[in-house]
Amino acid sequence: MKFISLVDISSKNVIAVDADSLILRLEISGIAKEIRLKKYHAEILYALFKQHPKALGYDEITELLETCGLIIGDETRLHRKISEIRSFLAKFHPSLANIIVNTRGVGYGLPLRFKNLQDVTNDNDIKFKNKKISEHIAILAALVEDAIHLTAGGKIIRNSYGYVMERNAKILKEKIQIFNECEKTILQQIGMHEADFIFLRVQYLLAKLKTYVGFARISEYAISNTQWLDWFRSEIYTLLDDLKKTIKETEC
């Protein structure tokens, strides 16, 4: 399996490469865009993502390109192929225009602001002054773990929206009811005006997290259960962490 996700910690955009299915996925504020990749695009991007934060050497890039049937006689041709990938990314979305960085004399890499989602874990150092908020965040964390567990044993199906995880309405109704109670309490305890910027951000993150807990995430393309679980687990942990950090800001 060649699937990996990175998060841009400055923008919170999530970028994923599925080299087996030749798909590049970009998620911005919960809205996902996907595009098909050429074989050598997928292999190079996957290798760059996988090796990050270390640079991918010129020799490694040459070998990958030759594996894809491309003859690289000199470094000029190598740089031209990387330039083609850069142009492709910029055309797909402006935020990807400069993500491939040339480390002179070494190879190509990515900016340090990109972090591997597979290494993301919840920030257990975040403590809340408000006891009720702490209690209900803990309940949300338990719902997240339940969602991951259900996803691990779940089945991907196709519906009119795309590919989704098969849903057990009875189980999800109970979990969404618990989620709604937590959401209501957390928003009440924050004690901010509804028009406040941070309050609105908390509402947004709660709404997005609910789409994960309620199995309402959609993929335009079919992916394996293993890939789905990897993507789901990485992103739901990141989202819960963002929610905790944003709620913590309300206590400052």
Side-chain angles (χ1 to χ4, degrees), residues 62-79:
T62 298
E63 185 177 340
L64 285 170
L65 291 171
E66 290 178 347
T67 300
C68 295
L70 299 172
I71 305 302
I72 306 300
D74 51 45
E75 279 194 10
T76 299
R77 184 164 174 77
L78 179 151
H79 293 307

Side-chain angles (χ1 to χ4, degrees), residues 7-8 11-15 25-34 93 201 203-212 216-220 231 235-236 238-239 242:
V7 60
D8 183 339
S11 66
K12 301 301 181 184
N13 296 347
V14 176
I15 311 166
R25 176 187 176 92
L26 175 65
E27 182 167 339
I28 302 175
S29 299
I31 301 174
K33 295 182 63 178
E34 293 180 337
H93 196 276
R201 292 298 302 174
Q203 282 186 310
Y204 161 72
L205 292 169
L206 283 166
K208 187 175 179 182
L209 183 61
K210 191 187 297 187
T211 68
Y212 284 85
R217 307 305 290 167
I218 303 168
S219 175
E220 183 178 350
W231 159 67
E235 293 194 4
I236 198 171
T238 301
L239 181 54
D242 286 345

